[in-house]
């Protein structure tokens, strides 16, 4: 990986907890508690930005969830019609996300933003939810993420402690 923004200690920390992503009473309980608010914000912001509504308002649009962890955002975004790609530098997190997603058509992979830029990828929506506090080089990371947003697209960044 030619990436300079991954913090190996953070990847190891989250890899060690990978089996707990979907336990609402486990180490990720705070995410489960405020996930409904995050989901509503993402849905409402994207719907307003793209002028979409309905049961599957985002059909035909792509979404990248960088630092997807166990897929807590990927699954509901897929159900809303997005073609979802979830990336995380932790193979264990990606494995947990894949196992939980079942038949949902989510493309999960162990990767970093810089890798996707090098591959020429781009998305209508790029999510950076509670990730920026875990990267080694914030400026380089956000620059790479910005390159992944298609013209006219949307990037949403959130953090609870930076």
């Amino acid at each position: 990986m030619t990436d300079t923004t991954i913090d190996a200690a953070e990847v190891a920390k989250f890899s060690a907890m990978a089996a707990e992503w979907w336990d609402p009473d486990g180490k990720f309980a705070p995410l489960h508690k405020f996930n409904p608010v995050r989901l509503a914000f993402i849905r409402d912001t994207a719907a307003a930005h793209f002028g979409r509504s309905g049961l599957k308002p985002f059909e035909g649009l792509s979404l990248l969830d960088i630092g997807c962890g166990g897929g807590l955002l990927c699954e509901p975004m897929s159900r809303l019609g997005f073609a979802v790609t979830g990336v995380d530098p932790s193979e264990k997190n990606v494995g947990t996300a894949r196992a939980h997603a079942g038949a949902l058509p989510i493309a999960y992979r162990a990767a970093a933003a810089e890798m996707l830029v090098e591959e020429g990828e781009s998305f209508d929506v790029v999510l950076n939810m509670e990730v920026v506090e875990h990267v080694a080089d914030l400026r380089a990371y956000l620059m790479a993420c910005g390159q992944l947003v298609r013209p006219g697209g949307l990037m949403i960044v959130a953090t609870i402690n930076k």
Side-chain angles (χ1 to χ4, degrees):
M1 203 179 292
T2 60
D3 171 68
T4 60
T5 65
I6 291 176
D7 182 329
E10 290 291 302
V11 174
K13 176 175 81 174
F14 283 96
S15 292
M17 299 184 291
E20 294 191 50
W21 277 105
W22 289 93
D23 179 357
D25 299 316
K27 293 185 180 182
F28 297 106
L31 287 180
H32 287 273
K33 287 183 177 134
F34 73 82
N35 213 31
V37 173
R38 293 189 319 164
L39 292 169
F41 177 80
I42 295 165
R43 182 196 63 230
D44 294 349
T45 301
H49 182 80
F50 293 106
R52 300 287 185 103
S53 63
L55 291 176
K56 286 200 166 205
F58 305 115
E59 285 185 317
L61 296 176
S62 62
L63 178 139
L64 171 65
D65 183 8
I66 301 178
C68 68
L72 298 178
L73 292 172
C74 292
E75 291 188 21
M77 292 296 110
S78 176
R79 288 185 187 99
L80 288 171
F82 278 113
V84 175
T85 299
V87 299
D88 197 283
S90 167
E91 292 274 359
K92 287 185 177 186
N93 286 344
V94 169
T96 296
R98 272 193 195 114
H100 194 273
L104 285 172
I106 300 170
Y108 284 115
R109 59 187 280 211
E114 294 84 355
M115 291 173 63
L116 299 177
V117 170
E118 288 174 9
E119 294 168 4
E121 296 277 357
S122 66
F123 302 86
D124 297 301
V125 176
V126 174
L127 298 181
N128 284 286
M129 308 303 284
E130 290 70 49
V131 175
V132 297
E133 61 267 31
H134 304 292
V135 299
D137 183 339
L138 183 58
R139 180 179 166 87
Y141 172 75
L142 288 175
M143 288 182 67
C145 291
Q147 293 176 5
L148 294 169
V149 181
R150 287 188 180 138
L154 177 67
M155 180 163 63
I156 299 174
V157 181
T159 179
I160 56 177
N161 68 357
K162 268 228 173 181

